Amino acid sequence: MTQTVSVVIPAHNSARTLDACLRSVYAQTHPVHEVIVVDDGSTDATAEIARRHPCTLLGDGVNRGVSAARNAGIAAATGDVLFFLDSDEALTPGSVAAALEILRADPACGCVHGVIAPEPLVDDGPVEWYKTLHAHWWRARGAGVVQTALFAQAAVPREVFARIGGFDESLRDSEDLELSDRLAPHYRIVLTERIAAHHDEEHRLGPLLAETYRRALLLVPALRSARAGGRSHLTANTPASVLTAAFLLGSPVLAVLLPLLGAPGAWAALPPAAGLLAFCLANAGLIGFAARRRGAAFAPFFTAVHLACHAALLAGAAVGALRSPAPGRRTTSPPPPAPAKAGAR
């Protein structure tokens, strides 16, 4: 039986990329049943651009966050399968067809999601290339059956939401991880490179570090929740990468202490050098991938930005751990179930 697909696109101030996003949906090899753009309180030309396409436009002018926007799309959709796509992404042409094929082949699969393409949607310079290549690398590395669903480009059968409910509207970050914690006990989650989207990543270093810090604030509580349920979430960086970055960032303290403890002065250079070598070895595959894609001269820049992002990650995780409540205490109300539609399965 042919399954119909509703594409749900939450959009907030997405005038820069929404046209490319919608064009990629209408260019899919498997035609979609409907496209729903949820304008989440945009103040730019997002709504005007959406009206140029044969899509359904929702929104009341209030910015409620991506979780609420996706829930609004779920409520309005009539397709058998909901395909979530972020408004700053453009799908590769066979992505919807691949999602349906994987879902049909595995009835126990409750979500199939994809990777970031290794080329940015808009080339805004080296910081964006860093972010794009890193995003592609860690997602592709984790392809297979996973415990984490990432909804930037993801397909979910409608009946899944009837069982587990919608997105937690109190969350504007890490909403994917929270829903994954409810999804994984009941369904398989598949990450595949057959679904891919070109993403317009952040291209300025300051905002990239701020975004990394903000998202890391919820990292420790999310990982703690996953461990409590016997699961392990996908992570953008390996434990070895994080640990060696922490050592490298703390190595200047050791460099100061060694002479004070009577070590020869030349030894002061050992901790930073050892930390840098360990960090590069822990990320050798990633750095090599970046060098192959952008040339060997790009590798030092890539490594430096990668280390800066680790510093922001460690700072955010530390602050988040201090703020997080004791295990077992819930800080948010449970998300409401997705509203049922007449005739929906």
Side-chain angles (χ1 to χ4, degrees):
M1 185 180 82
T2 301
Q3 291 181 303
T4 56
V5 179
S6 297
V7 178
V8 175
I9 303 173
H12 175 69
N13 289 343
S14 303
R16 172 181 167 92
T17 57
L18 184 58
D19 185 71
C21 175
L22 287 167
R23 288 179 183 276
S24 77
V25 173
Y26 291 114
Q28 289 298 297
T29 58
H30 182 98
V32 299
H33 168 62
E34 63 185 350
V35 181
I36 300 170
V37 175
V38 185
D39 182 9
D40 187 32
S42 297
T43 57
D44 64 1
T46 292
E48 177 185 339
I49 292 169
R51 292 190 187 100
R52 298 173 190 166
H53 296 267
C55 61
T56 299
L57 177 63
L58 305 178
D60 59 5
V62 179
N63 175 238
R64 295 187 173 89
V66 67
S67 294
R70 287 176 180 152
N71 283 345
I74 294 169
T78 59
D80 302 311
V81 173
L82 280 68
F83 195 110
F84 297 95
L85 178 64
D86 281 358
S87 59
D88 56 1
E89 295 191 346
L91 279 176
T92 53
S95 291
V96 169
L100 289 177
E101 183 179 330
I102 292 169
L103 289 172
R104 281 195 298 265
D106 184 3
C109 180
C111 175
V112 56
H113 59 112
V115 302
I116 299 298
E119 304 86 15
L121 179 59
V122 181
D123 185 353
D124 284 314
V127 171
E128 180 159 25
W129 272 103
Y130 158 77
K131 179 65 174 171
T132 299
L133 292 172
H134 182 221
H136 172 81
W137 171 261
W138 72 263
R139 286 171 172 84
R141 186 190 70 210
V145 177
V146 295
Q147 297 293 308
T148 308
L150 302 172
F151 291 90
Q153 63 286 120
V156 181
R158 168 180 293 282
E159 61 264 22
V160 169
F161 290 106
R163 180 173 186 178
I164 70 168
F167 292 87
D168 187 337
E169 297 186 10
S170 70
L171 298 177
R172 291 189 177 228
D173 278 310
S174 297
E175 75 287 341
D176 305 74
L177 301 185
E178 190 280 330
L179 186 56
S180 296
D181 285 341
R182 289 184 279 124
L183 180 65
H186 305 290
Y187 299 96
R188 266 196 290 276
I189 302 170
V190 174
L191 172 59
T192 177
E193 292 186 75
R194 295 177 62 194
I195 300 172
H198 296 274
H199 188 201
D200 185 30
E201 300 278 6
E202 178 55 62
H203 63 279
R204 298 163 297 168
L205 182 59
L208 173 61
L209 297 179
E211 177 186 61
T212 303
Y213 172 84
R214 187 184 72 250
R215 290 182 173 176
L217 291 171
L218 293 174
L219 181 61
V220 171
L223 294 177
R224 182 184 293 159
S225 173
R227 283 197 301 269
R231 296 179 295 279
S232 59
H233 281 309
L234 286 170
T235 56
N237 301 289
T238 65
S241 180
V242 175
L243 289 174
T244 55
F247 177 81
L248 174 55
L249 293 166
S251 63
V253 176
L254 291 175
V256 171
L257 288 178
L258 284 176
L260 297 178
L261 296 174
W267 286 25
L270 288 179
L276 179 59
L277 176 61
F279 181 71
C280 290
L281 289 174
N283 291 282
L286 171 61
I287 295 170
F289 171 70
R292 289 191 299 274
R293 300 293 304 202
R294 297 293 292 168
F298 182 67
F301 174 84
F302 184 95
T303 304
V305 176
H306 196 46
L307 179 61
C309 287
H310 275 68
L313 169 70
L314 288 163
V319 172
L322 293 173
R323 291 179 181 177
S324 64
R329 178 182 163 196
R330 188 178 181 93
T331 58
T332 61
S333 57
K341 292 183 68 66
R345 292 192 301 160

